[in-house]
Amino acid sequence: MTKPTPRMDAEANTCLRFGVLLLASGASGYRVIRAVKRCARSLGFDNADVIVGFNTISCTFHRGEQFRTAVADVPLPGVNASRIEALETAAHSLLQSYRTPEVIGAALDEIERIPSPRWGPRLSTLAAGLACAGFAILNQFGLATAAVVCIAAMLGQLVRSALHRAHFNLIGTTMTSAFVASAAFLLLARVPPVLPISGVVSPGFEAAVLFLIPGFPLFTSFVDFARFDFTAGIPRLLFALEIIVVIMLTVSVVAMLSGTPEAQPQAVPKSAEFLAAGAAASFVSVGCFALLFNSSKRMALLAATLGMAANAARLGLLAYGVRSYLAAFAAALLIGVAGGLLGRLARVPRTTVTIPAAVVMIPGTVIYAAVHDFAVGDIVNALSRFTEVSFVVLFIAGGLSVARMLTDPNWAFFRYIDFDHELAGEERPINN
């Protein structure tokens, strides 16, 4: 066997860089593997073995008897929907012809220049506030409470952005932001001119921290599980659960120190007014979450429209007594099918519109209630609520997975990248 050439090293590193950028943007293992293999095929490799974890990627590229292994460790992945869109576009256009490392590298340089975060602190702060205010409306907390939730969430987002820029520990950042948002809500809610009506301190208390919920990694982990990609799925799920537990434990401590009772769940009313308000709140929340995920305006608008329609349908089902997890499944199925079609028409990755649309259905209030019950020793209620939350999240993931099987043959039938397929185009890598 001959020694791999420097040219082969450069080609392997280019493929690895493509995968690292996609993984660091929050893409699922499935997307990363296919993109790296497309890049390897475009550079003239005969095959590629790719293993993707939550923040690690290992690739071995083959050409004849030669091979080259490249490994990278990625800092904790964030969420950058705009970068996912750009990389997926490159994978389906640029990499459909034979290319050189220089050509692909230049494209990656341009993609790396996409700002992260894409939106400035003012817009992202406002987006966090409006997203949580929408949750407050959906949970029937009232307009006055939603206004206070908006202000409190904005303060929490400001703290999170400042700590993130300082590269502070993620757990510490999450804990501090949750404390600031929940404490700010309690302080504002107790000021008579702000909320003059008695008995409104408890509602909305949990909604003020929901901008911290890691919806993207949570649902992406289930996408990995559906493909039996446990190497990426398990750590991604554990990461999401760790962040959720930190959020809710922080809120529980603040609640117990302040003596604030938890909000009591309310049945969804059978009224056109509430359904209209819920649809509008869903549109705002989903669109703002998409902006927090660094989506473009076009992706945010698509996600908001999709989330509004699906969540309005879910609220309608809940109003007529359908169980929460079945209603969530139906809404997620609608999101997945419609999102797949919209993704093709608008030429955007489906996850950049379906996941923001599904995040609004996460039962944040019930999650808080379950953690709070555990904290005060009410184990029976805690287990009951934890089971409810688990069922809703699992059925949302199930709806998205079933929809993916129905609308994406490559995903459903485990179709692999064919390295024997002759690509179009004349530019080929130089094989020394």
Side-chain angles (χ1 to χ4, degrees):
M1 182 176 66
T2 59
K3 181 180 178 180
T5 64
R7 186 68 179 182
M8 188 174 179
D9 292 346
E11 293 165 346
N13 288 334
T14 299
C15 295
L16 180 67
R17 182 187 175 196
F18 204 107
V20 165
L21 286 177
L22 200 49
L23 182 61
S25 301
S28 66
Y30 166 76
R31 285 190 176 277
V32 176
I33 291 171
R34 289 183 68 86
V36 172
K37 285 178 177 286
R38 280 196 173 98
C39 189
R41 183 178 62 180
S42 177
L43 288 169
F45 285 108
D46 296 333
N47 202 356
D49 302 312
V50 186
I51 299 175
V52 176
F54 174 53
N55 61 337
T56 57
I57 178 171
S58 175
C59 313
T60 298
F61 304 97
H62 303 269
R63 180 179 291 136
E65 294 183 351
Q66 297 181 346
F67 68 92
R68 177 70 163 88
T69 298
V71 180
D73 178 59
V74 183
L76 283 178
V79 179
N80 193 328
S82 294
R83 186 171 287 182
I84 292 175
E85 178 190 18
L87 290 165
E88 282 288 304
T89 300
H92 289 88
S93 56
L94 178 72
L95 301 184
Q96 295 307 305
S97 299
Y98 292 103
R99 305 293 182 185
T100 63
E102 292 77 16
V103 171
I104 298 175
L108 296 180
D109 289 339
E110 183 178 351
I111 291 171
E112 276 195 307
R113 287 193 285 270
I114 296 175
S116 182
R118 177 166 184 154
W119 307 107
R122 292 182 181 178
L123 183 57
S124 62
T125 299
L126 179 61
L130 292 176
C132 291
F135 269 109
I137 297 296
L138 288 170
N139 286 280
Q140 305 176 62
F141 293 159
L143 290 176
T145 302
V148 178
V149 165
C150 181
I151 297 172
M154 289 173 66
L155 293 173
Q157 173 65 15
L158 281 174
V159 171
R160 180 168 73 160
S161 297
L163 293 176
H164 179 72
R165 287 194 298 270
H167 303 286
F168 191 58
N169 178 275
L170 181 58
I171 295 297
T173 297
T174 303
M175 190 183 305
T176 305
S177 303
F179 177 83
V180 169
S182 54
F185 177 87
L186 291 178
L187 292 174
L188 290 170
R190 286 188 165 90
V191 178
V194 179
L195 289 179
I197 306 173
S198 61
V200 295
V201 173
S202 172
F205 180 72
E206 312 90 62
V209 300
L210 293 181
F211 69 95
L212 294 167
I213 294 291
F216 213 95
L218 178 64
F219 288 123
T220 304
S221 69
F222 288 108
V223 173
D224 291 328
F225 286 141
R227 296 279 303 182
F228 302 102
D229 190 356
F230 300 120
T231 305
I234 292 175
R236 200 187 300 268
L237 177 61
L238 291 177
F239 167 80
L241 293 178
E242 182 180 13
I243 297 298
I244 291 172
V245 170
V246 168
I247 295 168
M248 296 308 168
L249 284 177
T250 302
V251 174
S252 295
V253 170
V254 174
M256 286 185 285
L257 291 176
S258 62
T260 303
E262 65 180 73
Q264 297 301 316
Q266 300 184 52
V268 176
K270 295 180 181 178
S271 69
E273 293 81 3
F274 176 74
L275 288 180
S282 300
F283 183 89
V284 172
S285 285
V286 172
C288 289
F289 266 114
L291 294 179
L292 291 176
F293 294 153
N294 291 302
S295 297
S296 64
K297 293 179 181 178
R298 179 170 60 107
M299 283 190 286
L301 182 61
L302 287 172
T305 304
L306 185 58
M308 176 183 67
N311 205 41
R314 182 182 71 92
L315 292 174
L317 292 174
L318 291 174
Y320 282 92
V322 176
R323 291 190 177 275
S324 58
Y325 55 86
L326 294 178
F329 176 84
L333 185 63
L334 174 60
I335 288 172
V337 172
L341 298 176
L342 283 176
R344 283 201 206 95
L345 293 175
R347 297 182 180 275
V348 297
R350 72 171 65 214
T351 55
T352 60
V353 294
T354 56
I355 291 182
V359 166
V360 75
M361 298 190 295
I362 294 177
T365 302
V366 185
I367 295 175
Y368 163 74
V371 174
H372 183 271
D373 287 340
F374 273 121
V376 300
D378 190 352
I379 305 302
V380 174
N381 275 334
L383 290 175
S384 174
R385 284 167 166 167
F386 180 76
T387 302
E388 180 184 350
V389 169
S390 299
F391 265 58
V392 171
V393 172
L394 288 173
F395 272 77
I396 293 174
L400 294 175
S401 297
V402 171
R404 188 69 180 266
M405 294 179 198
L406 294 174
T407 58
D408 187 349
N410 290 329
W411 196 86
F413 290 98
F414 280 79
R415 292 176 181 170
Y416 301 101
I417 301 299
D418 183 8
F419 279 80
D420 294 328
H421 175 67
E422 189 73 14
L423 298 181
E426 298 179 354
E427 188 172 32
R428 289 177 178 267
I430 301 173
N431 301 328
N432 296 324

